Amino acid sequence: MPQPDLVIFDCDGVLVDSEIIAARVEAELLTLAGYEISAEELAETYAGLTFKDIMMRVEEKSSIPFQVSLIDRAEELVDRKLRSDVRAIDGAREAVAAVTMQRCICSNSRSERIEFMLEKVHLMPFFKDRIFSAMETPTGKTKPAPDVFLFAAEKLNANPSNTFVIEDSVHGVHGARAAGMRVIGFTGATHSYPGHADALTEAGAETVIRRWAELKSVIAALSEWSDA
């Protein structure tokens, strides 16, 4: 049976149920700053983006000028909530352990945040030295740019076309597809919403799973099929 060169996991909303925690903090800050938005709306529209990118998009949309200091405030508050409240998504540990080929994480979060979350939920041993933060790549470009995915593939000697990416956000799917990789969408986190699976499919995911127990068989099935 053909094997992928590499399986890339997003972190937030894929391995750890952190997107809704961040969305609650960030929505409150934006609302207090003059742009009323719910955590659910923020997660549905902007999941997968850094808060800086979210703020810039909201500024452009609303013409409300935000203080740059809001970015540092959001980082501080989100970190605090994640340290106390974040948990692994059900089945993530077993799914990651079942991936016997090369695996890594590609995330828009800072490596420090990724590491403390993985330590808290006991997933760090699976990814030690294989954590790639988009902000810390040579270009510093975050998803939906493909840079972090291509950087990881280069470092791990993987062919992008034989690499699978598991993503929960439209922006992440776009980045992985732009990198020439194959994408499995994931909708098993708390921030998932009606139409989430359809949105990921429309963005370019080949299939979408809701439960981690499906991952191993899906990778095996997709590995048997390709355009080649």
PDB file of all heavy atoms in Angstrom, residues 51-90:
ATOM      1  N   PHE A  51      -4.643  36.770  15.248  1.00  0.00           N
ATOM      2  CA  PHE A  51      -5.491  37.881  15.682  1.00  0.00           C
ATOM      3  C   PHE A  51      -5.111  39.167  14.948  1.00  0.00           C
ATOM      4  O   PHE A  51      -5.970  39.987  14.630  1.00  0.00           O
ATOM      5  CB  PHE A  51      -5.404  38.094  17.193  1.00  0.00           C
ATOM      6  CG  PHE A  51      -6.319  39.182  17.688  1.00  0.00           C
ATOM      7  CD1 PHE A  51      -7.693  39.020  17.622  1.00  0.00           C
ATOM      8  CD2 PHE A  51      -5.804  40.370  18.176  1.00  0.00           C
ATOM      9  CE1 PHE A  51      -8.559  40.040  18.045  1.00  0.00           C
ATOM     10  CE2 PHE A  51      -6.651  41.386  18.610  1.00  0.00           C
ATOM     11  CZ  PHE A  51      -8.030  41.217  18.546  1.00  0.00           C
ATOM     12  N   LYS A  52      -3.834  39.335  14.638  1.00  0.00           N
ATOM     13  CA  LYS A  52      -3.405  40.507  13.871  1.00  0.00           C
ATOM     14  C   LYS A  52      -4.112  40.554  12.521  1.00  0.00           C
ATOM     15  O   LYS A  52      -4.618  41.604  12.099  1.00  0.00           O
ATOM     16  CB  LYS A  52      -1.887  40.473  13.667  1.00  0.00           C
ATOM     17  CG  LYS A  52      -1.352  41.633  12.830  1.00  0.00           C
ATOM     18  CD  LYS A  52       0.154  41.513  12.629  1.00  0.00           C
ATOM     19  CE  LYS A  52       0.694  42.634  11.751  1.00  0.00           C
ATOM     20  NZ  LYS A  52       2.163  42.503  11.531  1.00  0.00           N
ATOM     21  N   ASP A  53      -4.171  39.406  11.833  1.00  0.00           N
ATOM     22  CA  ASP A  53      -4.843  39.359  10.530  1.00  0.00           C
ATOM     23  C   ASP A  53      -6.349  39.552  10.676  1.00  0.00           C
ATOM     24  O   ASP A  53      -6.990  40.199   9.837  1.00  0.00           O
ATOM     25  CB  ASP A  53      -4.551  38.036   9.824  1.00  0.00           C
ATOM     26  CG  ASP A  53      -3.129  37.975   9.279  1.00  0.00           C
ATOM     27  OD1 ASP A  53      -2.525  39.045   9.088  1.00  0.00           O
ATOM     28  OD2 ASP A  53      -2.619  36.860   9.050  1.00  0.00           O
ATOM     29  N   ILE A  54      -6.926  38.978  11.745  1.00  0.00           N
ATOM     30  CA  ILE A  54      -8.359  39.179  12.004  1.00  0.00           C
ATOM     31  C   ILE A  54      -8.646  40.661  12.185  1.00  0.00           C
ATOM     32  O   ILE A  54      -9.579  41.222  11.592  1.00  0.00           O
ATOM     33  CB  ILE A  54      -8.806  38.391  13.253  1.00  0.00           C
ATOM     34  CG1 ILE A  54      -8.720  36.879  13.000  1.00  0.00           C
ATOM     35  CG2 ILE A  54     -10.239  38.786  13.650  1.00  0.00           C
ATOM     36  CD1 ILE A  54      -8.937  36.045  14.245  1.00  0.00           C
ATOM     37  N   MET A  55      -7.844  41.317  13.005  1.00  0.00           N
ATOM     38  CA  MET A  55      -8.039  42.732  13.305  1.00  0.00           C
ATOM     39  C   MET A  55      -7.920  43.584  12.046  1.00  0.00           C
ATOM     40  O   MET A  55      -8.714  44.499  11.813  1.00  0.00           O
ATOM     41  CB  MET A  55      -7.023  43.175  14.355  1.00  0.00           C
ATOM     42  CG  MET A  55      -7.414  44.429  15.109  1.00  0.00           C
ATOM     43  SD  MET A  55      -6.310  44.754  16.510  1.00  0.00           S
ATOM     44  CE  MET A  55      -4.834  45.293  15.654  1.00  0.00           C
ATOM     45  N   MET A  56      -6.954  43.258  11.206  1.00  0.00           N
ATOM     46  CA  MET A  56      -6.773  44.020   9.968  1.00  0.00           C
ATOM     47  C   MET A  56      -7.964  43.841   9.034  1.00  0.00           C
ATOM     48  O   MET A  56      -8.423  44.799   8.391  1.00  0.00           O
ATOM     49  CB  MET A  56      -5.482  43.580   9.276  1.00  0.00           C
ATOM     50  CG  MET A  56      -4.226  44.036  10.005  1.00  0.00           C
ATOM     51  SD  MET A  56      -2.704  43.324   9.320  1.00  0.00           S
ATOM     52  CE  MET A  56      -2.704  44.030   7.673  1.00  0.00           C
ATOM     53  N   ARG A  57      -8.501  42.625   8.962  1.00  0.00           N
ATOM     54  CA  ARG A  57      -9.657  42.383   8.085  1.00  0.00           C
ATOM     55  C   ARG A  57     -10.900  43.093   8.618  1.00  0.00           C
ATOM     56  O   ARG A  57     -11.699  43.628   7.846  1.00  0.00           O
ATOM     57  CB  ARG A  57      -9.900  40.878   7.952  1.00  0.00           C
ATOM     58  CG  ARG A  57      -8.802  40.182   7.156  1.00  0.00           C
ATOM     59  CD  ARG A  57      -9.127  38.735   6.863  1.00  0.00           C
ATOM     60  NE  ARG A  57      -8.014  38.092   6.162  1.00  0.00           N
ATOM     61  CZ  ARG A  57      -8.141  37.066   5.344  1.00  0.00           C
ATOM     62  NH1 ARG A  57      -9.333  36.539   5.111  1.00  0.00           N
ATOM     63  NH2 ARG A  57      -7.080  36.541   4.753  1.00  0.00           N
ATOM     64  N   VAL A  58     -11.062  43.077   9.951  1.00  0.00           N
ATOM     65  CA  VAL A  58     -12.210  43.754  10.550  1.00  0.00           C
ATOM     66  C   VAL A  58     -12.083  45.266  10.356  1.00  0.00           C
ATOM     67  O   VAL A  58     -13.078  45.946  10.064  1.00  0.00           O
ATOM     68  CB  VAL A  58     -12.334  43.400  12.047  1.00  0.00           C
ATOM     69  CG1 VAL A  58     -13.377  44.291  12.719  1.00  0.00           C
ATOM     70  CG2 VAL A  58     -12.712  41.935  12.217  1.00  0.00           C
ATOM     71  N   GLU A  59     -10.872  45.798  10.512  1.00  0.00           N
ATOM     72  CA  GLU A  59     -10.643  47.233  10.280  1.00  0.00           C
ATOM     73  C   GLU A  59     -11.040  47.629   8.871  1.00  0.00           C
ATOM     74  O   GLU A  59     -11.703  48.643   8.649  1.00  0.00           O
ATOM     75  CB  GLU A  59      -9.163  47.571  10.505  1.00  0.00           C
ATOM     76  CG  GLU A  59      -8.816  47.993  11.909  1.00  0.00           C
ATOM     77  CD  GLU A  59      -7.413  48.584  11.997  1.00  0.00           C
ATOM     78  OE1 GLU A  59      -6.616  48.389  11.060  1.00  0.00           O
ATOM     79  OE2 GLU A  59      -7.120  49.227  13.015  1.00  0.00           O
ATOM     80  N   GLU A  60     -10.620  46.807   7.908  1.00  0.00           N
ATOM     81  CA  GLU A  60     -10.927  47.096   6.505  1.00  0.00           C
ATOM     82  C   GLU A  60     -12.423  47.042   6.243  1.00  0.00           C
ATOM     83  O   GLU A  60     -12.975  47.865   5.506  1.00  0.00           O
ATOM     84  CB  GLU A  60     -10.198  46.089   5.612  1.00  0.00           C
ATOM     85  CG  GLU A  60     -10.314  46.381   4.134  1.00  0.00           C
ATOM     86  CD  GLU A  60      -9.518  45.391   3.294  1.00  0.00           C
ATOM     87  OE1 GLU A  60      -8.601  44.746   3.828  1.00  0.00           O
ATOM     88  OE2 GLU A  60      -9.827  45.265   2.102  1.00  0.00           O
ATOM     89  N   LYS A  61     -13.082  46.090   6.884  1.00  0.00           N
ATOM     90  CA  LYS A  61     -14.516  45.888   6.678  1.00  0.00           C
ATOM     91  C   LYS A  61     -15.356  46.972   7.347  1.00  0.00           C
ATOM     92  O   LYS A  61     -16.367  47.420   6.801  1.00  0.00           O
ATOM     93  CB  LYS A  61     -14.897  44.504   7.220  1.00  0.00           C
ATOM     94  CG  LYS A  61     -16.366  44.166   7.155  1.00  0.00           C
ATOM     95  CD  LYS A  61     -16.598  42.771   7.746  1.00  0.00           C
ATOM     96  CE  LYS A  61     -18.071  42.397   7.729  1.00  0.00           C
ATOM     97  NZ  LYS A  61     -18.281  41.043   8.328  1.00  0.00           N
ATOM     98  N   SER A  62     -14.931  47.391   8.537  1.00  0.00           N
ATOM     99  CA  SER A  62     -15.757  48.272   9.362  1.00  0.00           C
ATOM    100  C   SER A  62     -15.299  49.726   9.393  1.00  0.00           C
ATOM    101  O   SER A  62     -16.051  50.604   9.841  1.00  0.00           O
ATOM    102  CB  SER A  62     -15.763  47.761  10.799  1.00  0.00           C
ATOM    103  OG  SER A  62     -14.458  47.865  11.369  1.00  0.00           O
ATOM    104  N   SER A  63     -14.056  49.968   8.937  1.00  0.00           N
ATOM    105  CA  SER A  63     -13.441  51.301   9.019  1.00  0.00           C
ATOM    106  C   SER A  63     -13.283  51.788  10.455  1.00  0.00           C
ATOM    107  O   SER A  63     -13.201  52.982  10.717  1.00  0.00           O
ATOM    108  CB  SER A  63     -14.256  52.333   8.214  1.00  0.00           C
ATOM    109  OG  SER A  63     -14.314  51.965   6.855  1.00  0.00           O
ATOM    110  N   ILE A  64     -13.257  50.849  11.398  1.00  0.00           N
ATOM    111  CA  ILE A  64     -13.003  51.187  12.796  1.00  0.00           C
ATOM    112  C   ILE A  64     -11.509  51.036  13.055  1.00  0.00           C
ATOM    113  O   ILE A  64     -10.958  49.949  12.860  1.00  0.00           O
ATOM    114  CB  ILE A  64     -13.799  50.260  13.752  1.00  0.00           C
ATOM    115  CG1 ILE A  64     -15.296  50.438  13.561  1.00  0.00           C
ATOM    116  CG2 ILE A  64     -13.408  50.534  15.210  1.00  0.00           C
ATOM    117  CD1 ILE A  64     -16.131  49.433  14.343  1.00  0.00           C
ATOM    118  N   PRO A  65     -10.830  52.098  13.475  1.00  0.00           N
ATOM    119  CA  PRO A  65      -9.397  51.981  13.757  1.00  0.00           C
ATOM    120  C   PRO A  65      -9.164  51.339  15.133  1.00  0.00           C
ATOM    121  O   PRO A  65      -9.759  51.756  16.119  1.00  0.00           O
ATOM    122  CB  PRO A  65      -8.917  53.437  13.741  1.00  0.00           C
ATOM    123  CG  PRO A  65     -10.117  54.229  14.130  1.00  0.00           C
ATOM    124  CD  PRO A  65     -11.324  53.472  13.643  1.00  0.00           C
ATOM    125  N   PHE A  66      -8.321  50.316  15.180  1.00  0.00           N
ATOM    126  CA  PHE A  66      -8.006  49.660  16.444  1.00  0.00           C
ATOM    127  C   PHE A  66      -6.605  50.048  16.902  1.00  0.00           C
ATOM    128  O   PHE A  66      -5.719  50.315  16.091  1.00  0.00           O
ATOM    129  CB  PHE A  66      -8.080  48.132  16.297  1.00  0.00           C
ATOM    130  CG  PHE A  66      -9.445  47.609  15.965  1.00  0.00           C
ATOM    131  CD1 PHE A  66      -9.687  46.999  14.742  1.00  0.00           C
ATOM    132  CD2 PHE A  66     -10.491  47.722  16.860  1.00  0.00           C
ATOM    133  CE1 PHE A  66     -10.947  46.505  14.425  1.00  0.00           C
ATOM    134  CE2 PHE A  66     -11.757  47.238  16.557  1.00  0.00           C
ATOM    135  CZ  PHE A  66     -11.986  46.628  15.330  1.00  0.00           C
ATOM    136  N   GLN A  67      -6.415  50.052  18.207  1.00  0.00           N
ATOM    137  CA  GLN A  67      -5.090  50.291  18.769  1.00  0.00           C
ATOM    138  C   GLN A  67      -4.212  49.057  18.531  1.00  0.00           C
ATOM    139  O   GLN A  67      -4.655  47.924  18.717  1.00  0.00           O
ATOM    140  CB  GLN A  67      -5.200  50.557  20.277  1.00  0.00           C
ATOM    141  CG  GLN A  67      -5.985  51.806  20.632  1.00  0.00           C
ATOM    142  CD  GLN A  67      -5.245  53.071  20.233  1.00  0.00           C
ATOM    143  OE1 GLN A  67      -4.022  53.138  20.274  1.00  0.00           O
ATOM    144  NE2 GLN A  67      -6.007  54.084  19.817  1.00  0.00           N
ATOM    145  N   VAL A  68      -2.968  49.281  18.137  1.00  0.00           N
ATOM    146  CA  VAL A  68      -2.036  48.176  17.921  1.00  0.00           C
ATOM    147  C   VAL A  68      -1.828  47.385  19.208  1.00  0.00           C
ATOM    148  O   VAL A  68      -1.604  46.162  19.179  1.00  0.00           O
ATOM    149  CB  VAL A  68      -0.682  48.707  17.397  1.00  0.00           C
ATOM    150  CG1 VAL A  68       0.324  47.574  17.273  1.00  0.00           C
ATOM    151  CG2 VAL A  68      -0.863  49.387  16.054  1.00  0.00           C
ATOM    152  N   SER A  69      -1.949  48.043  20.339  1.00  0.00           N
ATOM    153  CA  SER A  69      -1.756  47.379  21.642  1.00  0.00           C
ATOM    154  C   SER A  69      -2.776  46.270  21.879  1.00  0.00           C
ATOM    155  O   SER A  69      -2.572  45.401  22.729  1.00  0.00           O
ATOM    156  CB  SER A  69      -1.854  48.401  22.775  1.00  0.00           C
ATOM    157  OG  SER A  69      -3.120  49.049  22.766  1.00  0.00           O
ATOM    158  N   LEU A  70      -3.866  46.289  21.101  1.00  0.00           N
ATOM    159  CA  LEU A  70      -4.892  45.252  21.235  1.00  0.00           C
ATOM    160  C   LEU A  70      -4.327  43.868  20.896  1.00  0.00           C
ATOM    161  O   LEU A  70      -4.771  42.865  21.453  1.00  0.00           O
ATOM    162  CB  LEU A  70      -6.073  45.584  20.317  1.00  0.00           C
ATOM    163  CG  LEU A  70      -7.435  44.967  20.664  1.00  0.00           C
ATOM    164  CD1 LEU A  70      -7.899  45.409  22.032  1.00  0.00           C
ATOM    165  CD2 LEU A  70      -8.464  45.362  19.603  1.00  0.00           C
ATOM    166  N   ILE A  71      -3.350  43.827  19.998  1.00  0.00           N
ATOM    167  CA  ILE A  71      -2.756  42.547  19.604  1.00  0.00           C
ATOM    168  C   ILE A  71      -2.050  41.898  20.786  1.00  0.00           C
ATOM    169  O   ILE A  71      -2.271  40.725  21.100  1.00  0.00           O
ATOM    170  CB  ILE A  71      -1.767  42.739  18.429  1.00  0.00           C
ATOM    171  CG1 ILE A  71      -2.499  43.276  17.191  1.00  0.00           C
ATOM    172  CG2 ILE A  71      -1.061  41.419  18.108  1.00  0.00           C
ATOM    173  CD1 ILE A  71      -1.575  43.702  16.068  1.00  0.00           C
ATOM    174  N   ASP A  72      -1.210  42.671  21.483  1.00  0.00           N
ATOM    175  CA  ASP A  72      -0.496  42.133  22.641  1.00  0.00           C
ATOM    176  C   ASP A  72      -1.465  41.758  23.754  1.00  0.00           C
ATOM    177  O   ASP A  72      -1.270  40.753  24.445  1.00  0.00           O
ATOM    178  CB  ASP A  72       0.517  43.153  23.166  1.00  0.00           C
ATOM    179  CG  ASP A  72       1.700  43.333  22.222  1.00  0.00           C
ATOM    180  OD1 ASP A  72       1.954  42.414  21.419  1.00  0.00           O
ATOM    181  OD2 ASP A  72       2.355  44.386  22.290  1.00  0.00           O
ATOM    182  N   ARG A  73      -2.498  42.571  23.926  1.00  0.00           N
ATOM    183  CA  ARG A  73      -3.499  42.272  24.963  1.00  0.00           C
ATOM    184  C   ARG A  73      -4.210  40.959  24.655  1.00  0.00           C
ATOM    185  O   ARG A  73      -4.417  40.120  25.557  1.00  0.00           O
ATOM    186  CB  ARG A  73      -4.513  43.419  25.046  1.00  0.00           C
ATOM    187  CG  ARG A  73      -5.586  43.260  26.111  1.00  0.00           C
ATOM    188  CD  ARG A  73      -4.994  43.225  27.488  1.00  0.00           C
ATOM    189  NE  ARG A  73      -6.024  43.185  28.522  1.00  0.00           N
ATOM    190  CZ  ARG A  73      -5.825  42.708  29.737  1.00  0.00           C
ATOM    191  NH1 ARG A  73      -4.619  42.237  30.095  1.00  0.00           N
ATOM    192  NH2 ARG A  73      -6.796  42.706  30.625  1.00  0.00           N
ATOM    193  N   ALA A  74      -4.567  40.753  23.398  1.00  0.00           N
ATOM    194  CA  ALA A  74      -5.233  39.504  23.009  1.00  0.00           C
ATOM    195  C   ALA A  74      -4.315  38.308  23.239  1.00  0.00           C
ATOM    196  O   ALA A  74      -4.752  37.279  23.770  1.00  0.00           O
ATOM    197  CB  ALA A  74      -5.646  39.573  21.542  1.00  0.00           C
ATOM    198  N   GLU A  75      -3.053  38.428  22.843  1.00  0.00           N
ATOM    199  CA  GLU A  75      -2.106  37.330  23.039  1.00  0.00           C
ATOM    200  C   GLU A  75      -1.999  36.964  24.514  1.00  0.00           C
ATOM    201  O   GLU A  75      -2.006  35.787  24.881  1.00  0.00           O
ATOM    202  CB  GLU A  75      -0.734  37.734  22.494  1.00  0.00           C
ATOM    203  CG  GLU A  75      -0.654  37.804  20.980  1.00  0.00           C
ATOM    204  CD  GLU A  75      -0.758  36.435  20.337  1.00  0.00           C
ATOM    205  OE1 GLU A  75       0.093  35.579  20.599  1.00  0.00           O
ATOM    206  OE2 GLU A  75      -1.724  36.222  19.580  1.00  0.00           O
ATOM    207  N   GLU A  76      -1.896  37.975  25.351  1.00  0.00           N
ATOM    208  CA  GLU A  76      -1.754  37.750  26.794  1.00  0.00           C
ATOM    209  C   GLU A  76      -2.987  37.047  27.373  1.00  0.00           C
ATOM    210  O   GLU A  76      -2.868  36.058  28.108  1.00  0.00           O
ATOM    211  CB  GLU A  76      -1.550  39.095  27.493  1.00  0.00           C
ATOM    212  CG  GLU A  76      -1.495  39.017  29.010  1.00  0.00           C
ATOM    213  CD  GLU A  76      -1.526  40.388  29.668  1.00  0.00           C
ATOM    214  OE1 GLU A  76      -1.356  41.414  28.973  1.00  0.00           O
ATOM    215  OE2 GLU A  76      -1.739  40.429  30.900  1.00  0.00           O
ATOM    216  N   LEU A  77      -4.171  37.549  27.034  1.00  0.00           N
ATOM    217  CA  LEU A  77      -5.398  36.980  27.588  1.00  0.00           C
ATOM    218  C   LEU A  77      -5.688  35.583  27.046  1.00  0.00           C
ATOM    219  O   LEU A  77      -6.130  34.701  27.786  1.00  0.00           O
ATOM    220  CB  LEU A  77      -6.586  37.914  27.301  1.00  0.00           C
ATOM    221  CG  LEU A  77      -6.554  39.269  28.008  1.00  0.00           C
ATOM    222  CD1 LEU A  77      -7.729  40.126  27.563  1.00  0.00           C
ATOM    223  CD2 LEU A  77      -6.601  39.081  29.531  1.00  0.00           C
ATOM    224  N   VAL A  78      -5.445  35.382  25.751  1.00  0.00           N
ATOM    225  CA  VAL A  78      -5.676  34.061  25.162  1.00  0.00           C
ATOM    226  C   VAL A  78      -4.716  33.044  25.781  1.00  0.00           C
ATOM    227  O   VAL A  78      -5.116  31.936  26.149  1.00  0.00           O
ATOM    228  CB  VAL A  78      -5.541  34.101  23.628  1.00  0.00           C
ATOM    229  CG1 VAL A  78      -5.542  32.682  23.058  1.00  0.00           C
ATOM    230  CG2 VAL A  78      -6.675  34.909  23.010  1.00  0.00           C
ATOM    231  N   ASP A  79      -3.447  33.410  25.911  1.00  0.00           N
ATOM    232  CA  ASP A  79      -2.483  32.504  26.543  1.00  0.00           C
ATOM    233  C   ASP A  79      -2.945  32.095  27.938  1.00  0.00           C
ATOM    234  O   ASP A  79      -2.871  30.927  28.317  1.00  0.00           O
ATOM    235  CB  ASP A  79      -1.105  33.161  26.635  1.00  0.00           C
ATOM    236  CG  ASP A  79      -0.296  33.028  25.353  1.00  0.00           C
ATOM    237  OD1 ASP A  79      -0.754  32.341  24.424  1.00  0.00           O
ATOM    238  OD2 ASP A  79       0.801  33.606  25.291  1.00  0.00           O
ATOM    239  N   ARG A  80      -3.404  33.065  28.692  1.00  0.00           N
ATOM    240  CA  ARG A  80      -3.842  32.792  30.073  1.00  0.00           C
ATOM    241  C   ARG A  80      -5.001  31.805  30.099  1.00  0.00           C
ATOM    242  O   ARG A  80      -5.007  30.847  30.884  1.00  0.00           O
ATOM    243  CB  ARG A  80      -4.246  34.109  30.749  1.00  0.00           C
ATOM    244  CG  ARG A  80      -4.529  33.979  32.242  1.00  0.00           C
ATOM    245  CD  ARG A  80      -4.982  35.302  32.822  1.00  0.00           C
ATOM    246  NE  ARG A  80      -4.029  36.383  32.548  1.00  0.00           N
ATOM    247  CZ  ARG A  80      -4.299  37.667  32.751  1.00  0.00           C
ATOM    248  NH1 ARG A  80      -5.505  38.040  33.178  1.00  0.00           N
ATOM    249  NH2 ARG A  80      -3.379  38.570  32.498  1.00  0.00           N
ATOM    250  N   LYS A  81      -5.979  32.024  29.216  1.00  0.00           N
ATOM    251  CA  LYS A  81      -7.136  31.118  29.171  1.00  0.00           C
ATOM    252  C   LYS A  81      -6.753  29.732  28.671  1.00  0.00           C
ATOM    253  O   LYS A  81      -7.253  28.718  29.172  1.00  0.00           O
ATOM    254  CB  LYS A  81      -8.239  31.714  28.284  1.00  0.00           C
ATOM    255  CG  LYS A  81      -8.961  32.887  28.893  1.00  0.00           C
ATOM    256  CD  LYS A  81      -9.758  32.496  30.137  1.00  0.00           C
ATOM    257  CE  LYS A  81     -10.971  31.668  29.792  1.00  0.00           C
ATOM    258  NZ  LYS A  81     -11.766  31.310  30.999  1.00  0.00           N
ATOM    259  N   LEU A  82      -5.880  29.674  27.683  1.00  0.00           N
ATOM    260  CA  LEU A  82      -5.459  28.378  27.158  1.00  0.00           C
ATOM    261  C   LEU A  82      -4.696  27.573  28.205  1.00  0.00           C
ATOM    262  O   LEU A  82      -4.880  26.360  28.326  1.00  0.00           O
ATOM    263  CB  LEU A  82      -4.588  28.566  25.913  1.00  0.00           C
ATOM    264  CG  LEU A  82      -5.304  29.089  24.658  1.00  0.00           C
ATOM    265  CD1 LEU A  82      -4.297  29.387  23.562  1.00  0.00           C
ATOM    266  CD2 LEU A  82      -6.352  28.090  24.165  1.00  0.00           C
ATOM    267  N   ARG A  83      -3.839  28.249  28.959  1.00  0.00           N
ATOM    268  CA  ARG A  83      -3.066  27.540  29.987  1.00  0.00           C
ATOM    269  C   ARG A  83      -3.970  26.887  31.019  1.00  0.00           C
ATOM    270  O   ARG A  83      -3.664  25.817  31.547  1.00  0.00           O
ATOM    271  CB  ARG A  83      -2.088  28.499  30.675  1.00  0.00           C
ATOM    272  CG  ARG A  83      -0.895  28.871  29.812  1.00  0.00           C
ATOM    273  CD  ARG A  83       0.089  29.755  30.562  1.00  0.00           C
ATOM    274  NE  ARG A  83       1.175  30.221  29.708  1.00  0.00           N
ATOM    275  CZ  ARG A  83       2.256  29.521  29.424  1.00  0.00           C
ATOM    276  NH1 ARG A  83       2.408  28.299  29.938  1.00  0.00           N
ATOM    277  NH2 ARG A  83       3.204  30.020  28.640  1.00  0.00           N
ATOM    278  N   SER A  84      -5.116  27.501  31.284  1.00  0.00           N
ATOM    279  CA  SER A  84      -6.007  26.948  32.300  1.00  0.00           C
ATOM    280  C   SER A  84      -7.083  26.031  31.728  1.00  0.00           C
ATOM    281  O   SER A  84      -7.482  25.063  32.366  1.00  0.00           O
ATOM    282  CB  SER A  84      -6.694  28.084  33.082  1.00  0.00           C
ATOM    283  OG  SER A  84      -7.491  28.882  32.221  1.00  0.00           O
ATOM    284  N   ASP A  85      -7.535  26.311  30.483  1.00  0.00           N
ATOM    285  CA  ASP A  85      -8.752  25.653  29.995  1.00  0.00           C
ATOM    286  C   ASP A  85      -8.578  24.703  28.814  1.00  0.00           C
ATOM    287  O   ASP A  85      -9.474  23.906  28.534  1.00  0.00           O
ATOM    288  CB  ASP A  85      -9.787  26.704  29.573  1.00  0.00           C
ATOM    289  CG  ASP A  85     -10.265  27.560  30.738  1.00  0.00           C
ATOM    290  OD1 ASP A  85      -9.886  27.254  31.889  1.00  0.00           O
ATOM    291  OD2 ASP A  85     -11.001  28.533  30.488  1.00  0.00           O
ATOM    292  N   VAL A  86      -7.465  24.774  28.086  1.00  0.00           N
ATOM    293  CA  VAL A  86      -7.391  23.995  26.851  1.00  0.00           C
ATOM    294  C   VAL A  86      -7.363  22.490  27.132  1.00  0.00           C
ATOM    295  O   VAL A  86      -6.832  22.051  28.158  1.00  0.00           O
ATOM    296  CB  VAL A  86      -6.158  24.399  26.017  1.00  0.00           C
ATOM    297  CG1 VAL A  86      -4.867  23.792  26.552  1.00  0.00           C
ATOM    298  CG2 VAL A  86      -6.342  24.013  24.544  1.00  0.00           C
ATOM    299  N   ARG A  87      -7.974  21.743  26.238  1.00  0.00           N
ATOM    300  CA  ARG A  87      -7.958  20.283  26.347  1.00  0.00           C
ATOM    301  C   ARG A  87      -7.754  19.692  24.954  1.00  0.00           C
ATOM    302  O   ARG A  87      -7.983  20.353  23.938  1.00  0.00           O
ATOM    303  CB  ARG A  87      -9.266  19.762  26.953  1.00  0.00           C
ATOM    304  CG  ARG A  87     -10.492  20.022  26.102  1.00  0.00           C
ATOM    305  CD  ARG A  87     -11.735  19.422  26.720  1.00  0.00           C
ATOM    306  NE  ARG A  87     -12.904  19.601  25.864  1.00  0.00           N
ATOM    307  CZ  ARG A  87     -13.229  18.816  24.847  1.00  0.00           C
ATOM    308  NH1 ARG A  87     -12.444  17.788  24.527  1.00  0.00           N
ATOM    309  NH2 ARG A  87     -14.307  19.042  24.130  1.00  0.00           N
ATOM    310  N   ALA A  88      -7.328  18.461  24.940  1.00  0.00           N
ATOM    311  CA  ALA A  88      -7.181  17.766  23.659  1.00  0.00           C
ATOM    312  C   ALA A  88      -8.564  17.438  23.102  1.00  0.00           C
ATOM    313  O   ALA A  88      -9.522  17.220  23.854  1.00  0.00           O
ATOM    314  CB  ALA A  88      -6.385  16.486  23.845  1.00  0.00           C
ATOM    315  N   ILE A  89      -8.672  17.406  21.802  1.00  0.00           N
ATOM    316  CA  ILE A  89      -9.920  16.969  21.174  1.00  0.00           C
ATOM    317  C   ILE A  89     -10.011  15.454  21.317  1.00  0.00           C
ATOM    318  O   ILE A  89      -9.014  14.737  21.194  1.00  0.00           O
ATOM    319  CB  ILE A  89      -9.955  17.409  19.703  1.00  0.00           C
ATOM    320  CG1 ILE A  89     -10.078  18.942  19.656  1.00  0.00           C
ATOM    321  CG2 ILE A  89     -11.101  16.745  18.952  1.00  0.00           C
ATOM    322  CD1 ILE A  89     -10.000  19.545  18.292  1.00  0.00           C
ATOM    323  N   ASP A  90     -11.201  14.979  21.623  1.00  0.00           N
ATOM    324  CA  ASP A  90     -11.404  13.553  21.888  1.00  0.00           C
ATOM    325  C   ASP A  90     -10.851  12.696  20.747  1.00  0.00           C
ATOM    326  O   ASP A  90     -11.180  12.921  19.576  1.00  0.00           O
ATOM    327  CB  ASP A  90     -12.898  13.251  22.048  1.00  0.00           C
ATOM    328  CG  ASP A  90     -13.476  13.829  23.340  1.00  0.00           C
ATOM    329  OD1 ASP A  90     -12.684  14.192  24.230  1.00  0.00           O
ATOM    330  OD2 ASP A  90     -14.718  13.915  23.436  1.00  0.00           O
TER     331      ASP A  90
END
